[in-house]
Amino acid sequence: MSDVRHFRKVSDLSAKEIRLVLDDAARLKLEPRRDVLAGKTVALIFSKPSTRTRVSFSVGVYQLGGMPLFLGEKELQMRSSETIEDTARVLSRYVDAIVIRTFAQQDVDDLAASASVPVINALTDERHPCQALTDIFTFEECFPDPRGRTITYLGDGNNVAASLAIAGAMTGVNVCLSTPEGYDLPADMWAETQKAATAHGVRVWQERDPHTAVTGASALYTDVWISMGQAEDEEKLSALRPYAIDERLLEFASPHAVVMHCLPAHRGMEISDAVMDGARSVVFDQAENRLHVQKALLAFLLGADEC
Ligand code: CP
């Protein structure tokens, strides 16, 4: 059981392994079919809604020759009638990998601790590592020599921001986090970003002023302000409004800067229609790239990568 590799968080892979996965994703983007999962089944446990993650994992497993098995959490007995640990042990007897989207990071960690097959975090309240790998892959498509460049994340200091900062640090990309007071990364996640930045010799820093934050950046990145399951909060929306990526903010950025969003987007809130549909937006490339990167990740974790 000890040599099973999981992807609970970005740093479950080394910087070198992230490089291998991203390079393989580029190959899979050119040649999508590969029989590395032939005869294998991948369980997809989702406790929250999803468009990109669910569909890209399902299609990706199929394109690699395997079978995706979607399991809405309510259809399982996990937590209601049996422990997460027992669910992990049972599923490990049937399937070759488990992808899980849930609320608490601890649930993913507990599942992985008892599973004898790879467990992949498809989003928790704390982390979104599959999204973060894809974000770096997309950034590298825009800037083939990304080292030393900066992605500026604007908005809520959430799971996407935290994983992006760690993935950036591990791939040589500086990350500026521009969040309003009260909506910074949680202290433990901030500490993790600083540790990664120091280890890899890059900068992850905070800049309160959104105009200063976008100056010199190669990408402006945002995410929804009210995450899944959160109630609409006028105080939060009001604090975040100056951080919206619209045409006026884009004028402060370099002419070469691209715009990123992990989607789903609330058009007219964190991003304007004109920016999202504009020439500098790469948001739909980002969405597509979830497919290629997750396939490379599956191939790597299941020991079938071509690296
Ligand atoms: N970005 C992302 O994870 O999208 P979904 O919520 O649609 O999976």
Side-chain angles (χ1 to χ4, degrees), residues 118-140:
V119 169
I120 297 175
N121 179 353
L123 179 143
T124 62
D125 293 344
E126 191 174 286
R127 299 171 196 271
H128 201 356
C130 293
Q131 181 67 55
L133 288 192
T134 305
D135 296 338
I136 297 302
F137 180 83
T138 307
F139 188 65
E140 291 183 350

Side-chain angles (χ1 to χ4, degrees), residues 50-53 101 128 131 228 262-264 290:
S50 167
T51 300
R52 281 141 289 273
T53 310
R101 167 170 289 199
H128 201 356
Q131 181 67 55
M228 263 180 271
C262 56
L263 304 179
R290 294 292 302 277

